[in-house]
Amino acid sequence: MSTQTNQSKRPKKITTRVLQRMKEQGEKIAMLTAYDYSMAKILDAAGIDILLVGDSAANVMAGYETTLPMTLDAMIYHAQSVVRAVNRAMVVVDMPFGTYQGNSTKALESAIRIMKEAEAHAVKMEGGREIIESVERILSAGIPVMGHLGLTPQSIYKFGTYTVRATDPQEAEKLIEDAHLLEETGIFALVLEKIPAQLGKRVAKELKIPVIGIGAGAGVDGQVLVTHDMLGITTDFSPRFLRRYLNLNEQILNAVEQYINDVKTGDFPNENEQY
Ligand code: KIV
């Protein structure tokens, strides 16, 4: 089938209903992170289904070691830039650490700010039973929620390590219970991060909603990666689940070195590059 025919069959806008249909029809969901207008425009034009304005912006955009310092104002700024770029993709925005845990009123206020000020399409929250009251409250306002279980980077100081989660039966059982609870509460999709592939497959099979994995194996309903990692802009992060599609770090370095050389030698600008 030609790309054109494929594209004409693609839904004009990705909504929660479209994602649900994709799961039911066995069509895999492709999701990437985005934090700025220019990159989001390219990813949307390429046909990405979901753009996640991840709090990984703390790492890749701001240079923090963890996602914990990310503020609601900063997330809204990134989300506004992404939403302005997008025609088709669904834009999901991470609720940053400290804006929803342990206080459902604050959680609702935070989610409403994201939806109102950034005109986002959904929010994402890390955790299971412990955040269920906040999830319920946000859902009651008509805001779609994506869950996130497994390795949840906002709890990194509790885990103490970024290694694979839920390898022991007790943690795997808790994850399965949390996944069911979140689905019963009404989330529209679930991200599973860095867990055994068999567990990812089981959760995707048991849940009716789409399950999107990052390091959760091939048996889930879709995949998500951090764009800066898969394009090879970041180089200091090489987990097993990461496939690098480009080595942009090296290409940008070469281009900038060439530019510096051209400026220093007087090669740039040439006659055609001036008025
Ligand atoms: O913040 C983020 O980029 C994420 C993905 C890793 C799923 O939550």
Side-chain angles (χ1 to χ4, degrees), residues 33 35 52 54-56 94 124 148 191 193 214 224 226:
T33 61
Y35 320 102
L52 171 66
D55 59 356
S56 51
D94 258 336
K124 176 164 84 59
H148 184 157
V191 166
E193 181 164 354
I214 172 163
V224 54
V226 169

Side-chain angles (χ1 to χ4, degrees), residues 129-165:
R129 182 169 294 282
E130 59 285 352
I131 61 153
I132 214 69
E133 206 181 300
S134 294
V135 173
E136 243 168 12
R137 193 94 184 248
I138 292 170
L139 286 168
S140 75
I143 300 172
V145 174
M146 177 180 272
H148 184 157
L149 296 172
L151 177 64
T152 46
Q154 291 178 13
S155 311
I156 188 57
Y157 289 117
K158 183 173 122 191
F159 299 144
T161 161
Y162 284 101
T163 52
V164 186
R165 305 301 316 171

